[in-house]
Structure formats: structure tokens, C-alpha cells
Amino acid sequence: MEDLDRKIVDLLTRDGRMSFTDLGKATGLSTSAAHQRVRRLEERGVIRGYTAVVDHNQTGFPTSALISVSPFDQSAPDDIPDRLRDLPEIESCWSVAGGENYVLKVRVGTPLDLEDLLARIRSAASVSTRTTVVLSTPWEARPR
């Protein structure tokens, strides 16, 4: 990737709503050239989408946790992400090396909601779980 494209990605990572005019000023490009570069980055899949940063305490989902999962049967097909895809509380699913196969980042309203989610995860994917509840998040998803 070219340095100019990296700079565009960095700027949009910090402010996904930056106008093409401001993006052009920050990179030395015209507004239309900045727009074309962003469109090409999107077409190539470098930029896969845009999102809002949300205060989850205000949305009713203040409790987050990391759940490590391992299949009961290690010889079973590795379809855990497919089995869990429809659980909306799961924000992220990472395949990992180590003692577990996947780590899930989840967000729920209460500890009872977390307990219910754990039961649904275990049932849907035939897995054992190990859970770490997040106490606070000093920072998250910061740009490089």
C-alpha cells in the first residue's frame, strides 16, 4: 500500500466522518482525488465499513466480557463461528492460538444476561467456556 493510502486510512480511522475536502487538505489532494482514493480503498476491501463509537453505558449494555471457548470434541468440524453468528451479544470472534480455540468479545446488560448468554453459547456450539468480565475500559479500538 502506498504511503498516501496509509495516511488516508489513518485519518479515516481517527475520524470516519471526515469530509473529502478535509481529507484532501490533510493529504495534499484535491477533493475529487481524495474521493477517488477512498473509493478505491473501499473497492479493494482495505476500508470495509464505517462505524460509530458508542457509549454502551447509555445504551443499556454496560457489561462486557471476554469468553474463551473450546469444543468438547476436538475432532468435530471447526464450525463454532457459524454456530454463534446469530447471537447479537457477540461483538467479535477471534480465532486464537493457545489453550482455547476462539475468544469472543460480548456485551450485555447485566450479569444475569451474561449467565444466560453463556448457556446459549455452550448449547449452540457444544463448547466449554472460560469468562473474564471487563471491569473498565481505559481505551479501546485506538488508531495506530
Side-chain angles (χ1 to χ4, degrees), residues 68-81 83-84 96 98-103 121-122 124-130:
S68 300
V69 299
S70 299
F72 288 125
D73 180 1
Q74 293 292 333
S75 65
D78 186 5
D79 61 353
I80 292 171
R83 290 176 178 227
L84 301 177
V96 297
E100 292 85 15
N101 294 53
Y102 293 92
V103 174
I121 288 170
R122 291 177 189 131
S126 297
V127 294
S128 64
T129 62
R130 185 174 55 84

Side-chain angles (χ1 to χ4, degrees), residues 51-62 91 105 107 137 140-141:
T51 188
V53 178
V54 175
D55 180 348
H56 294 285
N57 291 319
Q58 295 188 44
T59 64
F61 301 103
E91 286 188 358
K105 178 184 173 193
R107 196 170 302 277
T137 306
E140 179 179 34

